[in-house]
Amino acid sequence: MTIVVARQLPLRPFPHGTETPGPLGDHIMGMAVLGWLTEHPVAAWGESWMRHGTLHATFTRPVVAGQSLDMDLIVGETTVDVSYVDADGRPCVTGRSTIGTKETRDESALDLAIRGTPITDRLAPRATALEGAAMPPMTFSFDARRDLAFLDGQADASAWRERGWAHPAWLGTATNATIMRNIDFASRDASTGRWQQVAADAVLCEPIVDGDEVTMHSHIGRISTRGRRAQHHVAHLECNFRVGRRTAARFTNTFVFATDDPSPDPPHP
């Protein structure tokens, strides 16, 4: 185990020009945590992973800036596992990176089919409204100097900047933007305007390079429940990133959109 201090990264919650960020305080959003996780597969596999790797992260407990965490790292031939545990021994984040898997080798598996007609009005945060919903496509541009600035101080910053390639965490912020844009959390009595991210899955296919215009297609692939009493209602937002005709990446943002238990406002994103 290695003791680390949780560090806030200046990552915008949404890509530039899509949504306006709100205050997060000391809370470190899940997408910023992805900025921590990539240094390990980049150190292990370098450009090969940056082109055709996967990254899975599960968020089980909020993390705040300045918090002391125990980090455990296990590097295998095709997997890198990392976990962050708080001072009470409770897991906060677990991550797994892979390389050379069938998922990244099979181009057809990467091209996510978005079915259905995109919605035209914001959806209520209810399972009946969300399940299967196709979101309107979202287009935005990648400016390497601007959109990689958040990596200052990270061990793998130079690897992304020298190539001018988009980082998985930046892609993840686009999935947050489509959640904010298309689901009306303000209509909910509890935790107004907020949601809680519980997992993120990125599959990298081809680099997004400086100046690329990116189009993201997305839909709610399924609805599930979590918790001992199935009290947390979870949506799995599946996203496909394209530059022109090529698929650059896939990303699944898994988030709690409602809970049956009264609780404090969960952070977002």
Side-chain angles (χ1 to χ4, degrees), residues 41 64 98 111 149 218:
V64 298
T98 67
D111 199 7
S218 60

Side-chain angles (χ1 to χ4, degrees), residues 16 43 63 110 146 187 229 266:
H16 184 82
V63 176
L110 284 163
R146 178 192 69 201
S187 67
R229 299 177 304 282

Side-chain angles (χ1 to χ4, degrees), residues 251-262:
F251 200 106
T252 300
N253 186 332
T254 303
F255 61 98
V256 174
F257 62 86
T259 182
D260 295 332
D261 286 347

